[in-house]
Amino acid sequence: MQAELIDIRNHMAQFPPFDEMPEELLDQVVGGVEVEYFRAGTQILEFGQDNTWLYYIRSGAVEIFRRSGELYNRIGEGDIFGQFGLLMNKTVRFPARALEDTLVYRIPEATFQYLFENDHGFADFVETEDRSRLRSALSRREKSNDLMTSKVTRLIARAPVSAPCTVRLQEAARIMTDQGVSALLLMDESGEHPVLKGIITDRDLRTRAVTEALPSETPISDIMSEGLITIRASAYIFEAMLMMLHNNVHHLPVMDKDEVRGVIALSDIVKYESQSSLYLVSNIYHQNDVKGLKKISRDVPDTFVRMVNEDANSHMIGSAMAGIGRSFTQRLLELGEEKLGPPPIPYCFMALGSMARDEQLVVTDQDNAMILDDSFVPEEHDEYFLALAKFVSDGLAECGYTYCTGEIMATNPKWRQPLRVWKGYFTDWIENPKAEALLNSNIFFDLDGIHGNIGFAEELKALVAEKASHSQRFLTLLARNALNRTPPLGFFRTFVLEEDGQHRKTFNLKRRGTAPLSDLIRVHALACGSRAQNSFERLKVIGQTKLLLEDDLGNLRDALEFISIVRIRHQALAIEDGRKPDNNVRPEDLSPFERSHLKDAFQVVSNAQKFLRFRYNAQVGRNAQ
Amino acid sequence: MPSNPEGPSSTPNPTWPEQYHELAQQAKSPLLKAFYEAGCVDPDMPMSDVPLVALDFETTGLDPNEHSIVSVGLVPFTLGGIQLGRCWHQVVRPQLPLHQTSIEVHGITHSDIDKAPDLNEVLNKLFSYLNGRIPVVHYRDIERPFLNVALQWRLGEGIRFPVIDTMAIEAHLHPDRRPNRWQRLLGKKPVSIRLADSRQRYGLPHYASHNALIDALATAELLQAQIHHHFGPNTPIKDLWL
């Protein structure tokens, strides 16, 4: 070893198993070391890969996984890994990934074998799994969130418990008691293969059977829930959680193609990871007043930053933030109904814009509306719904969702109307479109029912899907609006910056990037008769109709993801620095990598706008900005 | 991919491989001839394949025409790994008297130097490290000019080669690193592109000792981190060398 490398030897000499090693031996070890740097998130060792090194962490942190993908350990400075593979047959048994930027010293296998045979302390150390070491490492785990990286299949504890849907009430209850499950799957066994038909839960037995004193011989098919909400076996746990919260169900059958793999319950998720950031969401439902919600809402920016640091993609972050916003709204509606009494007629509370698209970030205002039952009589009912809308809107403002400057809120009487009026609005927008009016009603074409009679919102979605694709003039005007905002790219691919005002020398990633993209994707989606709201989902539907080429779709997807992620990171950085997050970016704050890829992404937006203009024959009008 | 930090002028015409070829014909010293004949990698070669050598000199001052080299540290490496066993450090006897101030900086004393060889005596070894590799330095205005002047004295001819400058990369990534007066008032701090401060931004450890070998190693690690963060292993070398 070169004497000058004493720094490295001294570092290793602080940590077991090197701390007890004779100096000359340690010098020899250092002389054989190779140094390598891994960026946070990089896979260092893959399962089954050949490995001929023992790894020593000089700086950073590494996650060690089991073969199943389950987290096994988190280790840091001075820890070693790779030893189990070296002891077995030089293939990796525990995959490893850099959790932080990590510098490792790699010790060659020959040195490892030499140490193993000649240094008892070393051999003992690498052979035994030191429990206390493991425990101290796991205490650092709050940094990461397993919901983001673990699949729902991890929560399946047992094979699904099912019965034919011909069983009687009492028999179903008996099976559930015997098997100790809170939900029973009911199968249609008339065909060749049994098909999942419905589900019955403990709660159903309580509310539907016992309360109504049904006879024990009632066929279970009379009271089971049909039209099941299920989840793919490949989905992540956070998706399952959002799905349960979104649909207000507590059990989800997990499907592998047509086959049921098992059932997961909300309580499984809560039990699994009570420290998680998305635990915030379920916590929202335990708050009993606006004050409590406001307190929780202060954690939202942290949740956002944590997800960004965990390298979640923009779809995950957008749906998680929208899910959180939706949960605040739903809980406020529940609290409002408790305060004001049950609604006099059925209604549906709608989210609009980014929340409906599952593309929400932290900088956001509230866009919402109310659909009332057609039996609505203003003199009798409106006082209640105005009070409810005001309660929710004020509550949301308390929780950081600022009032909509365009007055697109359920507190505005124009946007608190019976279903038939809403149908009239949409029919008029689509069949007699006017450019100016459409510009303001754009946001209503991203809509999602989030509370009450969701069916009302579904009716509107169906109406839009049915009518929009047939109105060429509507599509043309909508396309023209989608061309109003151009990407900030000049001739010679330079960034075009805002010239005046507070945001001089910046460009706006939302106004010039994600918004034009979601606008143009919306036009194509409506032309295809799609009912999807999320931009990525809309692209999928557009792909099925062959309106765009596969390559163009891929480019649009990548461009949306890239611009969104740069925007998300920009906001996360601001939050971490204690600044107010915004969408205005200075080119010099971007890495050369980001700059170059952003230009590519904006070029995609620009090309897609050209195609839109051509496809819908939409010249930009005088009102272009 | 990011463009060359200094624009097209630093990818001179003819290319480095062509220049090496030409310089090999002209060089009189067998050492330099062998150096150029070992060739220069293709400008399009991805960084993952390029044989590199981190290079650091401790010197008696900053002016190559007035000051001398006191020690050299060389760390051959690739993007995939740095072999500590192949590093080399050598104290050499400077041509000029040691200044008290420089002793304080690098800690090399008169008695170290009295025993040390002249650079001339270790040139063979030095070139065995340089041949066929692209030098990596932190601040290109030290190693390249000092080596050029030292060889002119000893061999009667200078040397030319491309370098990757980890400091120039940091400077490029932080063009606005010095806040103006107004920004300073608002508490904005300057971004330091010194070796230790740059390393900190990539989560690299602090190295306590200050000598040519550790600095060369620190530079090699920094380049690995920069490539993984900003460029990727497939970046052609021509995007990065100067």
Side-chain angles (χ1 to χ4, degrees):
Chain A
M1 187 194 82
Q2 290 269 353
E4 289 73 19
L5 297 177
I6 192 139
D7 204 85
I8 288 164
R9 197 199 66 192
N10 288 349
H11 191 269
M12 297 179 78
Q14 295 171 55
F15 297 92
F18 307 102
D19 54 347
E20 309 257 303
M21 209 172 264
E23 265 187 33
E24 318 81 72
L25 192 55
L26 190 51
D27 282 354
Q28 239 174 295
V29 173
V30 172
V33 156
E34 284 204 16
V35 187
E36 190 174 2
Y37 181 88
F38 293 94
R39 191 181 166 178
T42 319
Q43 197 75 20
I44 301 173
L45 294 173
E46 303 263 12
F47 180 81
Q49 166 202 330
D50 290 345
N51 175 41
T52 53
W53 303 94
L54 176 71
Y55 288 79
Y56 172 91
I57 304 174
R58 170 62 198 247
S59 62
V62 170
E63 287 184 317
I64 310 292
F65 297 88
R66 289 183 197 282
R67 180 185 190 161
S68 60
E70 187 186 343
L71 183 71
Y72 170 71
N73 203 351
R74 284 204 180 91
I75 54 179
E77 183 175 338
D79 286 327
I80 57 171
F81 63 98
Q83 68 270 35
F84 295 112
L86 289 178
L87 289 171
M88 300 296 284
N89 48 1
K90 293 180 218 161
T91 53
V92 174
R93 293 184 60 214
F94 294 91
R97 187 173 68 198
L99 179 65
E100 297 168 5
D101 292 337
T102 298
L103 191 75
V104 299
Y105 296 158
R106 296 191 313 225
I107 297 161
E109 196 244 334
T111 311
F112 176 83
Q113 295 301 351
Y114 181 84
L115 292 174
F116 192 70
E117 278 153 31
N118 294 284
D119 188 285
H120 290 302
F122 182 85
D124 284 350
F125 183 86
V126 296
E127 263 184 334
T128 50
E129 184 192 315
D130 186 347
R131 288 282 154 198
S132 62
R133 225 176 356 132
L134 179 63
R135 208 169 308 126
S136 75
L138 285 178
S139 67
R140 295 181 222 155
R141 68 180 300 174
E142 70 284 344
K143 241 202 115 163
S144 168
N145 172 6
D146 290 347
L147 292 183
M148 302 299 305
T149 47
S150 303
K151 301 283 173 94
V152 284
T153 43
R154 285 206 49 193
L155 295 184
I156 300 175
R158 56 186 300 169
V161 179
S162 66
C165 49
T166 49
V167 295
R168 308 282 161 165
L169 181 56
Q170 190 172 26
E171 175 68 2
R174 199 189 53 74
I175 296 172
M176 289 169 71
T177 310
D178 288 354
Q179 299 280 339
V181 290
S182 58
L184 179 66
L185 297 174
L186 298 157
M187 315 298 285
D188 178 353
E189 296 186 341
S190 57
E192 205 171 309
H193 301 289
V195 176
L196 179 61
K197 194 78 186 26
I199 192 170
I200 184 117
T201 66
D202 273 349
R203 193 169 158 184
D204 298 334
L205 291 178
R206 230 182 322 121
T207 58
R208 294 183 200 166
V210 179
T211 317
E212 300 188 16
L214 293 180
S216 61
E217 286 306 301
T218 310
I220 202 72
S221 52
D222 284 6
I223 57 167
M224 72 184 184
S225 309
E226 290 185 71
L228 278 193
I229 293 154
T230 62
I231 191 158
R232 311 175 318 280
S234 60
Y236 289 97
I237 293 176
F238 92 94
E239 294 181 84
M241 185 147 182
L242 289 172
M243 199 179 248
M244 289 181 187
L245 294 165
H246 191 168
N247 296 293
N248 196 24
V249 294
H250 293 99
H251 294 86
L252 281 180
V254 179
M255 305 297 287
D256 197 350
K257 304 225 171 59
D258 293 332
E259 216 170 298
V260 190
R261 289 273 300 274
V263 177
I264 57 171
L266 184 60
S267 56
D268 294 332
I269 298 182
V270 174
K271 236 182 290 166
Y272 174 68
E273 178 64 282
S274 58
Q275 293 300 312
S276 115
S277 49
L278 286 181
Y279 184 62
L280 171 80
V281 176
S282 65
N283 226 338
I284 291 173
Y285 289 91
H286 292 129
Q287 300 308 313
N288 290 320
D289 50 27
V290 177
K291 220 174 102 196
L293 289 173
K294 183 180 174 178
K295 201 159 153 252
I296 288 194
S297 70
R298 292 193 205 116
D299 296 339
V300 175
D302 286 343
T303 301
F304 175 79
V305 170
R306 205 173 308 150
M307 289 181 81
V308 176
N309 290 338
E310 280 157 19
D311 269 343
N313 64 31
S314 77
H315 194 163
M316 284 177 174
I317 294 172
S319 22
M321 296 319 280
I324 289 171
R326 219 181 262 128
S327 305
F328 275 116
T329 316
Q330 284 165 342
R331 186 61 190 147
L332 281 166
L333 283 157
E334 286 170 2
L335 292 174
E337 287 179 19
E338 270 172 32
K339 189 172 152 231
L340 302 167
I345 53 166
Y347 76 103
C348 170
F349 198 87
M350 269 199 295
L352 304 164
S354 61
M355 192 193 283
R357 287 202 313 272
D358 270 348
E359 291 167 23
Q360 202 162 11
L361 302 188
V362 276
V363 192
T364 188
D365 53 2
Q366 37 174 305
D367 300 302
N368 52 53
M370 244 184 215
I371 314 169
L372 309 169
D373 189 78
D374 279 340
S375 61
F376 177 65
V377 179
E379 298 74 29
E380 275 178 49
H381 304 132
D382 201 40
E383 195 188 297
Y384 176 90
F385 289 111
L386 174 60
L388 184 60
K390 209 167 156 352
F391 180 81
V392 172
S393 184
D394 293 346
L396 282 174
E398 289 275 316
C399 294
Y401 300 85
T402 50
Y403 296 107
C404 172
T405 48
E407 292 281 317
I408 297 178
M409 293 182 290
T411 45
N412 184 341
K414 197 173 172 199
W415 310 129
R416 193 176 64 245
Q417 293 288 344
L419 182 58
R420 76 185 121 74
V421 175
W422 277 106
K423 285 182 173 167
Y425 286 165
F426 277 98
T427 307
D428 192 48
W429 284 329
I430 296 170
E431 291 180 355
N432 312 301
K434 289 170 207 72
E436 194 67 23
L438 265 193
L439 205 55
N440 300 324
S441 54
N442 229 349
I443 193 166
F444 291 94
F445 291 90
D446 301 327
L447 73 95
D448 194 28
I450 60 171
H451 185 81
N453 192 339
I454 310 291
F456 291 168
E458 294 303 315
E459 277 193 51
L460 291 183
K461 282 188 202 173
L463 178 138
V464 172
E466 150 54 36
K467 286 193 187 294
S469 58
H470 295 119
S471 171
Q472 192 57 42
R473 183 162 157 70
F474 166 73
L475 291 174
T476 301
L477 287 178
L478 204 63
R480 185 184 292 176
N481 286 341
L483 297 171
N484 280 342
R485 297 181 281 198
T486 51
L489 211 51
F491 205 63
F492 296 125
R493 289 187 20 120
T494 49
F495 287 118
V496 175
L497 304 179
E498 314 290 337
E499 280 303 329
D500 48 41
Q502 185 191 354
H503 301 304
R504 208 162 163 251
K505 298 287 173 226
T506 66
F507 55 90
N508 188 300
L509 281 171
K510 182 185 180 192
R511 201 166 60 229
R512 298 216 171 242
T514 52
L517 263 175
S518 52
D519 282 354
L520 75 90
I521 291 168
R522 186 189 303 111
V523 179
H524 289 312
L526 290 174
C528 294
S530 159
R531 293 169 66 161
Q533 308 288 315
N534 176 264
S535 296
F536 291 102
E537 303 286 334
R538 282 173 167 165
L539 284 172
K540 255 187 236 163
V541 180
I542 296 166
Q544 284 154 13
T545 65
K546 310 272 185 269
L547 176 72
L548 293 178
L549 296 175
E550 196 47 55
D551 274 3
D552 295 333
L553 283 169
N555 285 339
L556 281 173
R557 241 187 327 260
D558 293 347
L560 181 59
E561 176 64 25
F562 192 75
I563 300 172
S564 305
I565 275 293
V566 173
R567 187 178 157 213
I568 284 166
R569 293 224 181 98
H570 172 75
Q571 297 192 349
L573 267 179
I575 296 170
E576 283 184 314
D577 287 359
R579 286 179 283 124
K580 198 171 151 33
D582 63 21
N583 294 305
N584 301 301
V585 172
R586 298 189 312 162
E588 59 265 36
D589 288 343
L590 300 166
S591 73
F593 175 87
E594 285 174 320
R595 248 177 297 192
S596 154
H597 280 64
L598 258 188
K599 286 179 184 173
D600 290 343
F602 288 138
Q603 193 61 53
V604 170
V605 181
S606 179
N607 293 345
Q609 287 192 331
K610 278 181 204 142
F611 176 76
L612 196 74
R613 182 174 302 137
F614 156 79
R615 174 73 177 67
Y616 300 98
N617 193 17
Q619 293 305 317
V620 181
R622 268 165 194 264
N623 57 352
Q625 292 160 6
Chain B
M1 276 298 110
S3 59
N4 195 311
E6 287 194 343
S9 63
S10 60
T11 320
N13 206 5
T15 64
W16 279 112
E18 285 162 1
Q19 287 194 60
Y20 270 42
H21 188 72
E22 203 171 305
L23 290 163
Q25 318 285 326
Q26 297 163 8
K28 296 193 181 60
S29 144
L31 271 176
L32 285 172
K33 204 173 184 63
F35 170 73
Y36 293 125
E37 273 172 356
C40 178
V41 298
D42 187 276
D44 288 314
M45 183 182 275
M47 281 308 296
S48 54
D49 294 349
V50 177
L52 302 159
V53 57
L55 181 62
D56 189 76
F57 292 166
E58 302 292 326
T59 56
T60 56
L62 294 175
D63 182 348
N65 292 310
E66 272 197 36
H67 301 107
S68 301
I69 301 170
V70 184
S71 71
V72 297
L74 284 137
V75 176
F77 74 110
T78 63
L79 195 54
I82 303 163
Q83 286 174 264
L84 292 187
R86 299 191 53 210
C87 298
W88 181 53
H89 181 255
Q90 179 70 53
V91 176
V92 293
R93 194 167 54 233
Q95 294 293 316
L96 298 159
L98 270 187
H99 297 288
Q100 190 57 41
T101 49
S102 71
I103 293 177
E104 281 160 16
V105 174
H106 46 63
I108 293 168
T109 61
H110 291 90
S111 65
D112 290 328
I113 278 163
D114 288 342
K115 288 177 277 172
D118 183 82
L119 183 67
N120 209 18
E121 296 167 49
V122 296
L123 280 182
N124 271 319
K125 177 112 191 221
L126 179 73
F127 273 99
S128 74
Y129 276 92
L130 294 180
N131 289 2
R133 295 182 170 271
I134 301 296
V136 179
V137 299
H138 192 79
Y139 186 47
R140 63 186 178 282
D141 288 347
I142 295 290
E143 280 74 17
R144 197 158 45 177
F146 267 89
L147 185 59
N148 187 39
V149 171
L151 292 181
Q152 254 161 6
W153 280 20
R154 291 171 177 85
L155 304 177
E157 49 187 323
I159 186 169
R160 296 173 62 185
F161 52 86
V163 294
I164 294 180
D165 182 354
T166 49
M167 189 166 98
I169 292 174
E170 284 306 294
H172 178 61
L173 294 170
H174 302 284
D176 267 4
R177 60 191 172 280
R178 289 182 209 88
N180 59 34
R181 214 162 65 94
W182 178 243
Q183 289 168 317
R184 280 201 306 273
L185 280 175
L186 294 176
K188 189 172 173 189
K189 293 189 187 67
V191 178
S192 164
I193 54 173
R194 292 175 56 239
L195 184 56
D197 297 315
S198 300
R199 283 170 59 86
Q200 214 173 20
R201 282 194 287 277
Y202 298 91
L204 285 165
H206 176 69
Y207 285 149
S209 77
H210 191 67
N211 70 54
L213 185 60
I214 288 295
D215 283 353
L217 177 65
T219 304
E221 290 171 1
L222 176 60
L223 182 70
Q224 288 187 336
Q226 288 173 329
I227 304 260
H228 286 305
H229 274 267
H230 306 294
F231 305 99
N234 293 324
T235 307
I237 175 109
K238 68 176 176 197
D239 281 3
L240 296 177
W241 68 20
L242 298 171

